[in-house]
Amino acid sequence: MKRIFVHGLGSVSPAGWDVPSLSQALDFGAPLPTVPLERPGWKSPLQTRRVAKPIPKLAFLAHARLRRTSPMSLYAAAAAMEALQGAGQKLETGRRLGIIFCVTAGCVQYSRRFYDEAWKNPATASPLLFPETVFNAPGSHLSAILESPHVNYTLVGDPGAFLQAVALAAGWLSNNRIDSCLVVGAEELDWLTADAYRHFSRGVACGEGAGALYLSCEPPKTGPQTELIAITNPRLYLNGMSRLQAIRETRAELPLPGGDALLCDSLAGWPARDRAEIEAWSDWQGSRLSPKRVLGEGLMAAGAWQCVAALDRLREGKNSQAFVSIAGSHQQAIGACFSTVNNG
């Protein structure tokens, strides 16, 4: 495989609409305040961590393709644009840009509205809602906004699928199928998803947002070179593979850490959910970040936040090596290693 470099980062989270907001919240370390989300039929609302509207409004959100889209599509577009602009890339036609969009729950707000209308009266249910219910709608919006006719994939899975998407992008770049690639993970909140997650982890507040990486085989012309070193094979949670065993085997496949290595884990602050990952990394001696403790359980967005947070630490010179450990919510454990090499 060719060397893969990270040229740009993007983030939308309950902390704000850019990477500095994400990093500031993680550096502070305190969980962000929760906001109530009404659930029909309940007196007590669900507690969540939402994305506030951007002030001032971001100019590209006025694009015609985004007028009636789901919040998740707006989050994905904002993270992608920040990653591209941070890399100094203009929206030029003709370049071979790959796009991989990753999601777990999908456009649940439009799905709920569509099925609610269809249930009440199928004859009058709005057909305008249906296109936004499909999983690959946000990815198609990204290609339209960026005027990119090249390869566009949507991966549906648990948060570990974000690293699978990074591995897929690395393969495309190594095989010269594309010149650069955007990998985006996003989610939006609705009472349906927040209530569903409550059944499995009652003490965890759900979050929403997006994260994006802009990758290329070309090293950055200025500043430090942030490079993908390794991505492990996914370890699936099966009858013969416990969650703890999966995380341990994932860790064993990663390179040995250096003196100032960072671990960005997927701990969410709920002991029953976190126990296996805590035990698997119990002897970690380096610095550590746990984005979900601060931002909430963002599902695919949380997997993306982990990578963005780790890479921003490298970009800022706070660490020279970063490990990402994703113990997915129901499917797999997977990990990655990134490193910084100064560009002479």
Side-chain angles (χ1 to χ4, degrees):
M1 185 179 76
K2 293 182 180 178
R3 297 178 70 184
I4 306 298
F5 297 93
V6 182
H7 284 248
L9 307 174
S11 173
V12 175
S13 74
W17 286 74
D18 55 23
V19 175
S21 298
L22 173 79
S23 296
Q24 184 178 10
L26 296 181
D27 287 342
F28 186 66
L32 295 177
T34 60
V35 295
L37 177 62
E38 298 296 329
R39 183 196 187 282
W42 281 22
K43 293 182 180 180
S44 299
L46 298 159
Q47 295 301 314
T48 60
R49 293 190 173 99
R50 310 296 300 271
V51 172
K53 293 183 179 180
I55 300 175
K57 184 176 180 180
L58 302 174
F60 67 86
L61 294 180
H63 192 285
R65 191 65 183 258
L66 298 178
R67 286 177 184 170
R68 296 185 180 89
T69 57
S70 66
M72 183 170 60
S73 294
L74 302 181
Y75 303 155
M81 293 292 285
E82 184 185 12
L84 284 171
Q85 292 169 358
Q89 297 296 314
K90 297 181 180 179
L91 302 183
E92 300 173 350
T93 59
R95 74 179 187 279
R96 297 186 304 162
L97 173 67
I99 295 174
I100 306 177
F101 177 74
C102 309
V103 64
T104 298
C107 303
V108 289
Q109 293 189 25
Y110 270 82
S111 296
R112 174 182 51 77
R113 290 171 56 189
F114 176 76
Y115 286 110
D116 182 61
E117 289 189 8
W119 179 261
K120 289 177 179 176
N121 190 342
T124 60
S126 173
L128 295 177
L129 297 177
F130 180 75
E132 290 301 317
T133 68
V134 298
F135 280 110
N136 64 343
S140 71
H141 295 319
L142 287 176
S143 283
I145 295 168
L146 300 174
E147 299 180 7
S148 174
H150 298 285
V151 60
N152 183 317
Y153 276 23
T154 294
L155 300 189
V156 181
D158 76 0
F162 187 80
L163 284 181
Q164 288 184 309
V166 174
L168 178 61
W172 289 350
L173 291 166
S174 296
N175 294 329
N176 199 33
R177 186 175 182 183
I178 52 176
D179 300 319
S180 57
C181 192
L182 268 172
V183 182
V184 184
E187 299 288 349
E188 67 186 29
L189 271 178
D190 188 81
W191 72 262
L192 285 169
T193 48
D195 185 34
Y197 203 85
R198 180 190 62 86
H199 287 280
F200 301 95
S201 299
R202 290 180 179 269
V204 177
C206 285
E208 62 180 354
L213 309 183
Y214 181 58
L215 308 173
S216 173
C217 287
E218 295 294 327
K221 296 180 180 179
T222 59
Q225 297 178 355
T226 306
E227 184 177 358
L228 171 65
I229 302 300
I231 292 181
T232 71
N233 291 311
R235 264 70 177 189
L236 303 181
Y237 305 145
L238 301 170
N239 290 335
M241 177 73 71
S242 69
R243 190 183 189 90
L244 175 58
Q245 182 182 356
I247 301 170
R248 280 176 169 168
E249 291 190 8
T250 296
R251 181 183 178 182
E253 192 178 336
L254 291 167
L256 293 175
D260 67 340
L262 167 74
L263 171 63
C264 195
D265 61 41
S266 58
L267 300 180
W270 186 244
R273 162 68 174 76
D274 296 339
R275 187 176 296 114
E277 191 171 13
I278 291 173
E279 184 173 346
W281 291 92
S282 60
D283 61 344
W284 177 259
Q285 299 297 314
S287 55
R288 195 160 185 163
L289 281 179
S290 301
K292 289 185 183 182
R293 290 180 180 268
V294 176
L295 305 170
E297 173 54 81
L299 297 175
M300 191 65 72
W305 293 334
Q306 287 182 245
C307 293
V308 171
L311 286 160
D312 187 58
R313 285 291 187 98
L314 297 184
R315 187 172 63 176
E316 294 298 318
K318 297 177 180 178
N319 301 90
S320 63
Q321 188 183 37
F323 293 83
V324 175
S325 168
I326 301 181
S329 50
H330 66 278
Q331 189 176 26
Q332 64 191 321
I334 190 170
C337 176
F338 300 90
S339 182
T340 299
V341 179
N342 288 325
N343 185 5

